[in-house]
Amino acid sequence: MTENSKERLAERRGQETQVYQPAEDSALLAKAVCKAVRQSDRVHEIGTGSGWVAAQIAAETGASVTASDINPHACRAAADRGVQSIRADMFGPFVDNAFDAVLFNPPYLPTDPDEEWDDWMEHALSGGPDGRRLVVPFLTGLSRVLSASGSGYLLISSLTGYEAVESIAAENGLTVESIHEQSFPFETLFVLKLTRYS
Amino acid sequence: MKESLLDIICCPIDKHDLELEVDEKDGDEIISGTLTCPECGETYPIEDGIPNLLPPDMRDEVTA
């Protein structure tokens, strides 16, 4: 990432360099998942960032919501919003069938390796060369932690490659349904609902 | 964290259940303590109510 574009990103994100702050994509994910979740559900957000989405879902649905992030500053931010947070790498420390709903707003923007920088915000924004750096481990590990009737909710951009994501999901025994989408000038954002083949 | 969290967490290395040792509590909220995996012997700290369940080799590496 050039110094110039890094600055623009920092500006877009309100100068924040430690924790990804809620943006359009966060609101989209929160809205879609709130409609899908029931009060009795055990809900978990992977890569919670500021914890805003998890807190919204807890407040609006009354469901039991936990959140995790690899970034200690994000874990702190989520805890400060009243969300039980856990420092974790993806699904590492979660038991089989733990959740009825798992949501993830991953770093989904393709990022040139030469343009990477090195702080927590980079980790939160960069999806690697194809935008799927963390989408793939999410789709690979999801089934194990979902309850029998559970669903995953994944936010992606058209820049992440809808069909590529769909085919990786299929390889992992998951069906994909787009439950919400919104167009922006340079991309379309989708909230995908992922369920196991029955 | 609350003790009920033990229902959904496990050792990130071998997925074994964890044993809880409490150092400090505020009501039913565990502020600090240690989670131990009886299978591999690895320990995971709870600090400020947040369990750190990163595998040990990632704890130091993943800093900005």
Side-chain angles (χ1 to χ4, degrees):
Chain A
M1 173 132 327
T2 61
E3 215 37 52
N4 192 24
S5 56
K6 181 181 169 180
E7 274 166 28
R8 273 190 281 114
L9 256 179
E11 192 179 349
R12 200 172 124 203
R13 302 301 176 190
Q15 308 300 329
E16 175 68 57
T17 59
Q18 300 264 52
V19 178
Y20 182 76
Q21 295 301 303
E24 298 91 342
D25 48 2
S26 319
L28 201 66
L29 183 62
K31 191 175 159 194
V33 176
C34 277
K35 276 194 222 161
V37 160
R38 291 166 305 178
Q39 193 179 351
S40 58
D41 284 348
R42 294 159 302 163
V43 181
H44 185 79
E45 184 179 24
I46 292 282
T48 191
S50 69
W52 183 84
V53 174
Q56 286 282 115
I57 292 165
E60 293 208 10
T61 66
S64 154
V65 180
T66 50
S68 58
D69 207 293
I70 198 167
N71 173 351
H73 308 289
C75 290
R76 185 70 259 152
D80 289 345
R81 288 183 194 269
V83 178
Q84 170 64 59
S85 63
I86 298 136
R87 191 160 176 218
D89 178 33
M90 198 54 73
F91 298 117
F94 300 106
V95 301
D96 295 2
N97 313 309
F99 307 113
D100 302 302
V102 175
L103 54 141
F104 188 29
N105 178 5
Y108 53 72
L109 295 176
T111 308
D112 187 321
D114 295 337
E115 296 190 338
E116 298 266 5
W117 63 108
D118 190 26
D119 62 17
W120 285 114
M121 191 51 63
E122 182 253 307
H123 193 84
L125 290 173
S126 161
D130 60 7
R132 300 189 289 273
R133 178 174 65 92
L134 293 180
V135 168
V136 171
F138 179 80
L139 293 171
T140 309
L142 179 65
S143 289
R144 185 184 66 81
V145 299
L146 281 181
S147 64
S149 60
S151 302
Y153 299 90
L154 176 68
L155 189 137
I156 61 159
S157 158
S158 43
L159 302 172
T160 319
Y162 190 103
E163 279 162 19
V165 170
E166 208 170 31
S167 102
I168 300 161
E171 284 164 21
N172 288 284
L174 299 161
T175 55
V176 175
E177 180 195 352
S178 171
I179 57 167
H180 201 86
E181 49 186 271
Q182 193 168 344
S183 294
F184 293 92
F186 300 102
E187 62 181 338
T188 302
L189 297 181
F190 302 90
V191 178
L192 306 182
K193 181 178 180 180
L194 304 150
T195 40
R196 289 189 216 167
Y197 286 124
S198 46
Chain B
M1 60 166 266
K2 298 205 168 38
E3 202 169 333
S4 59
L5 197 67
L6 291 174
D7 294 344
I8 58 161
I9 59 176
C10 60
C11 176
I13 300 168
D14 54 29
K15 305 287 183 277
H16 200 278
D17 287 349
L18 296 167
E19 286 171 3
L20 170 69
E21 190 186 314
V22 178
D23 290 335
E24 190 191 345
K25 239 179 159 179
D26 180 9
D28 60 354
E29 180 71 19
I30 297 149
I31 308 294
S32 66
T34 307
L35 293 159
T36 304
C37 175
E39 184 72 13
C40 67
E42 193 55 59
T43 60
Y44 304 92
I46 305 165
E47 286 164 0
D48 229 352
I50 301 170
N52 182 348
L53 291 169
L54 288 181
D57 61 339
M58 289 185 75
R59 274 182 215 156
D60 303 322
E61 173 190 318
V62 189
T63 45

